[in-house]
Amino acid sequence: MIRIFESVQRVSICNILCTIKNGGLHMRKMGKHIPGLIVTLVVLITAIVFAVMLLNMKVIPTKFIAVIGLVMLVLIVIVGALVWSTDGKIRFVVGVILAAVFAAVFILGSMYVYKTHSTLAGISGVNTEVTEVGIYVRADDSADSIEATADYVYGVLTDLDRANSDKAIQEVDSETGKTVQVQEYAGLTELVDGLLNGQTGAIVLNSAYLSVIEEMDGYSDISSRIKELTVKKVETTIEPQETEAKAEESTNDGSVYTIFISGIDSRSGLVAKSRSDSNIIATVNTATRQVLLVSTPRDYFVPLSISGGAPDKLTHAGIYGIDVCMDTLGMLYDIDINYYFRINFGGFVKVIDALGGITVNSDYDFDSKNILGYHFNKGENYVNGEQALIFARERYAFQEGDRQRGKNQMEVIRGVVKKALSPEILTSYSSILSSLDGCFGTNITYEEIAQILQQQLTNGGDWTIVSYSVNGTGATEKPYSMSQKAYVMVPDYNTVDKAKSLMEKVRNGEVVTQEEADAPVGSTSESTDTQSVTEPGTVAAETATNADGTAADGATTDGAAATDGTTTDTTTQQ
């Protein structure tokens, strides 16, 4: 028995030792695969994150994502095969290096996708606007707060921007703890005069009106004669008027967009209400890849949507909100404009510099009238951001003044679009995305922008961009938003009708050429009681002044000036 027991014991010990030995061998074998599994898993996770972010961005077409996914899968399999075992050290090292490269590419791609998504989300879907309403007192007033004006009489405009003025007065009542006395004035100059003459102690004024007042005769120094106590910011929702959709617009398959492009130079940001320095309607047909840009001069003398039929300068529509701009242009061209794209031209410099410059075509050989004195050749000019901004702003160097400026602004937009669609942007993609911040804003939704980009990536091809500018006749009239006469441009409705026809053709998918847009039309301006005048400050105005001693706005250039700095029939360039 004892011998049998010892034999069994020896066998058991041998089995245990063999099991331990085999287990150790198995563990060693498993240990050869664990590093490879970890490396493969890291690459797989980075690839999955990249793929999910691509899907969420909604810009890349599905078929492209499928191809990208397949390529990533093949790369992961290759890495897995190379790092499966540590036995082949050279093969394992090569696999780890490839894994690091692939993971870095996926991470970098995820970062670019995130930045692209964030940038597009930041500029799209903007449906609010801010009105800055200032409380002003005389420059020599000792008041330094709203509380100090509790016993003042406040001046407000009777009709202009009254809703925002009333909201500001309500806040003043709340801050002072009492209902302040209010005095109404019919016009801007009367409001300011009431403050300066002591009839009121403070006034409530939309800050956007200051630039209007400053260019009125006798008020150029108004900013030094009054001081701002505070600014009340009133936020409103942008709601274009709902009108009966035109048949040609309602029957399209979602490929046609009519967009108001507003160019501003506002220090208060894109959402602040301010005069629009450029007013361009873009009719975009994504099916035919056609874009028609129609520029309307800022001095166009047309009824605003809120003026009850009284005509005003188009640029003043921006004071009342971008929805008023869209509705006013919609009335002029008999179309529905539900989208806007706002450009801050000051920030536009960053975008063009990030693109590495653009090419613009100039109709004339000219020198800019600003202090930098840039020269532009007739034909193509390669310009940087600052030069492009000056090219887009210049108007005094041209006979056509603001109308030529509108053409140049459209040329800058054309140059940016062409450069943005070129492969060159890949070398500076990150800086371009960074430059967009604070430069653009639109109420077009992210999904709609993504759909347009997806169509472009799917179909490819170049876009045809045609530009056209409506015309008119210079005159001296009293605009709705001003208290005295000013230079305006009475519309030439033949050019307006041509613009309507070109827009309709693009909406219907017909081909429109630049030659067709450039073809001359007859002239049918509405009759006015004033003589035709040229735009003040332009080459045409200087020529008229030198020829007969009379300024383009009708004011005599020789002889003694009136003691109050005005003439009987004042003309102001605004």
Side-chain angles (χ1 to χ4, degrees):
M1 285 295 292
I2 295 174
R3 288 179 180 177
I4 295 174
F5 177 77
E6 288 177 349
S7 297
V8 172
Q9 189 176 33
R10 281 196 296 269
V11 171
S12 299
I13 293 172
C14 287
N15 288 337
I16 292 171
L17 290 175
C18 289
T19 301
I20 293 173
K21 182 179 179 180
N22 292 335
L25 290 173
H26 181 70
M27 289 298 294
R28 282 197 294 272
K29 288 182 180 179
M30 286 296 295
K32 295 177 181 180
H33 301 307
I34 291 175
L37 288 172
I38 294 174
V39 170
T40 306
L41 186 61
V42 169
V43 178
L44 179 62
I45 291 173
T46 56
I48 291 174
V49 170
F50 179 50
V52 170
M53 293 186 71
L54 277 179
L55 285 169
N56 288 337
M57 190 170 66
K58 302 177 183 177
V59 170
I60 308 299
T62 305
K63 64 179 181 180
F64 289 177
I65 293 180
V67 172
I68 293 171
L70 181 61
V71 170
M72 289 192 299
L73 181 60
V74 171
L75 295 177
I76 293 169
V77 170
I78 291 173
V79 168
L82 290 173
V83 301
W84 177 246
S85 175
T86 57
D87 285 340
K89 292 185 178 180
I90 295 177
R91 184 180 65 179
F92 182 81
V93 170
V94 171
V96 170
I97 292 173
L98 288 178
V101 172
F102 296 156
V105 170
F106 297 152
I107 292 172
L108 185 63
S110 299
M111 292 172 60
Y112 273 103
V113 170
Y114 174 77
K115 192 168 186 178
T116 302
H117 185 278
S118 298
T119 300
L120 292 179
I123 67 175
S124 62
V126 180
N127 291 302
T128 58
E129 202 168 27
V130 174
T131 303
E132 296 184 336
V133 182
I135 307 297
Y136 300 91
V137 296
R138 289 183 296 276
D140 59 356
D141 197 311
S142 60
D144 58 359
S145 66
I146 295 298
E147 290 79 3
T149 66
D151 296 324
Y152 286 13
V153 175
Y154 270 73
V156 299
L157 290 167
T158 304
D159 297 313
L160 291 179
D161 203 42
R162 185 57 188 265
N164 289 320
S165 295
D166 288 342
K167 290 179 181 177
I169 287 292
Q170 289 175 7
E171 291 192 34
V172 170
D173 290 343
S174 176
E175 290 185 39
T176 58
K178 60 182 298 186
T179 302
V180 296
Q181 186 177 347
V182 173
Q183 174 68 47
E184 295 182 349
Y185 292 91
L188 292 172
T189 54
E190 290 89 341
L191 177 70
V192 172
D193 288 342
L195 174 64
L196 298 177
N197 296 336
Q199 296 174 1
T200 59
I203 59 172
V204 179
L205 182 67
N206 185 329
S207 298
Y209 277 124
L210 277 181
S211 57
V212 178
I213 298 172
E214 285 173 345
E215 295 204 26
M216 291 186 186
D217 220 23
Y219 296 89
S220 59
D221 62 343
I222 189 61
S223 294
S224 64
R225 297 161 66 187
I226 63 176
K227 70 177 182 180
E228 180 184 275
L229 284 185
T230 188
V231 172
K232 305 296 183 183
K233 295 188 177 183
V234 181
E235 186 174 295
T236 54
T237 300
I238 299 171
E239 296 179 350
Q241 290 180 355
E242 293 294 332
T243 60
E244 183 179 351
K246 308 296 178 288
E248 62 269 20
E249 291 180 299
S250 61
T251 57
N252 80 75
D253 59 359
S255 62
V256 177
Y257 296 85
T258 302
I259 307 167
F260 169 57
I261 302 176
S262 171
I264 64 170
D265 262 326
S266 174
R267 295 179 181 178
S268 301
L270 281 169
V271 296
K273 290 183 181 179
S274 64
R275 293 183 304 169
S276 183
D277 292 323
S278 67
N279 302 276
I280 298 170
I281 296 175
T283 306
V284 182
N285 191 319
T286 60
T288 61
R289 295 189 191 85
Q290 280 199 105
V291 178
L292 172 67
L293 301 175
V294 174
S295 175
T296 309
R298 52 176 276 174
D299 293 319
Y300 235 40
F301 197 50
V302 293
L304 305 186
S305 62
I306 49 87
S307 66
D312 198 350
K313 290 191 178 195
L314 178 60
T315 186
H316 293 163
I319 297 174
Y320 308 102
I322 200 165
D323 52 337
V324 176
C325 294
M326 291 189 286
D327 295 336
T328 298
L329 287 169
M331 289 164 52
L332 177 64
Y333 294 106
D334 195 27
I335 56 174
D336 286 334
I337 306 175
N338 294 312
Y339 296 107
Y340 75 84
F341 199 90
R342 180 173 276 179
I343 302 173
N344 187 335
F345 276 120
F348 210 36
V349 172
K350 297 186 300 180
V351 176
I352 294 174
D353 284 339
L355 286 169
I358 61 172
T359 298
V360 295
N361 191 76
S362 175
D363 293 334
Y364 302 100
D365 188 281
F366 70 95
D367 293 307
S368 64
K369 297 288 187 178
N370 70 321
I371 58 175
L372 296 176
Y374 283 117
H375 177 78
F376 298 92
N377 298 314
K378 183 177 181 179
E380 289 190 349
N381 296 264
Y382 198 78
V383 296
N384 61 26
E386 184 177 79
Q387 292 166 333
L389 179 61
I390 291 171
F391 181 78
R393 281 175 168 171
E394 183 59 53
R395 61 184 168 122
Y396 296 123
F398 309 114
Q399 292 278 346
E400 291 184 304
D402 187 59
R403 187 166 181 262
Q404 183 60 42
R405 176 168 66 173
K407 292 180 181 179
N408 290 349
Q409 289 169 346
M410 290 188 291
E411 186 61 29
V412 169
I413 293 173
R414 189 202 307 263
V416 169
V417 171
K418 285 188 174 181
K419 190 65 173 286
L421 292 176
S422 71
E424 296 176 50
I425 70 164
L426 296 177
T427 60
S428 53
Y429 186 70
S430 181
S431 58
I432 291 171
L433 289 179
S434 298
S435 68
L436 296 176
D437 184 34
C439 185
F440 297 103
T442 179
N443 66 339
I444 302 176
T445 65
Y446 177 90
E447 288 72 19
E448 288 170 316
I449 294 177
Q451 182 182 10
I452 294 172
L453 294 176
Q454 193 174 110
Q455 288 176 353
Q456 178 63 23
L457 290 173
T458 300
N459 303 322
D462 295 329
W463 286 70
T464 301
I465 303 176
V466 176
S467 59
Y468 180 71
S469 178
V470 296
N471 205 352
T473 304
T476 303
E477 298 289 343
K478 180 180 176 298
Y480 168 76
S481 299
M482 299 179 71
S483 302
Q484 55 185 236
K485 289 187 176 182
Y487 170 83
V488 299
M489 180 178 283
V490 179
D492 175 352
Y493 283 97
N494 265 354
T495 64
V496 173
D497 289 340
K498 180 174 180 177
K500 291 181 183 180
S501 174
L502 293 174
M503 291 177 190
E504 183 176 1
K505 284 186 175 182
V506 173
R507 288 194 298 267
N508 292 339
E510 300 176 42
V511 176
V512 174
T513 65
Q514 190 61 56
E515 290 73 19
E516 180 182 0
D518 291 339
V521 296
S523 176
T524 56
S525 297
E526 285 189 343
S527 60
T528 63
D529 296 332
T530 59
Q531 199 173 23
S532 174
V533 297
T534 53
E535 184 179 351
T538 61
V539 172
E542 292 174 0
T543 302
T545 299
N546 294 333
D548 61 8
T550 303
D553 60 3
T556 302
T557 57
D558 47 43
T563 56
D564 60 357
T566 64
T567 59
T568 303
D569 185 15
T570 305
T571 300
T572 304
Q573 167 60 26
Q574 163 52 29

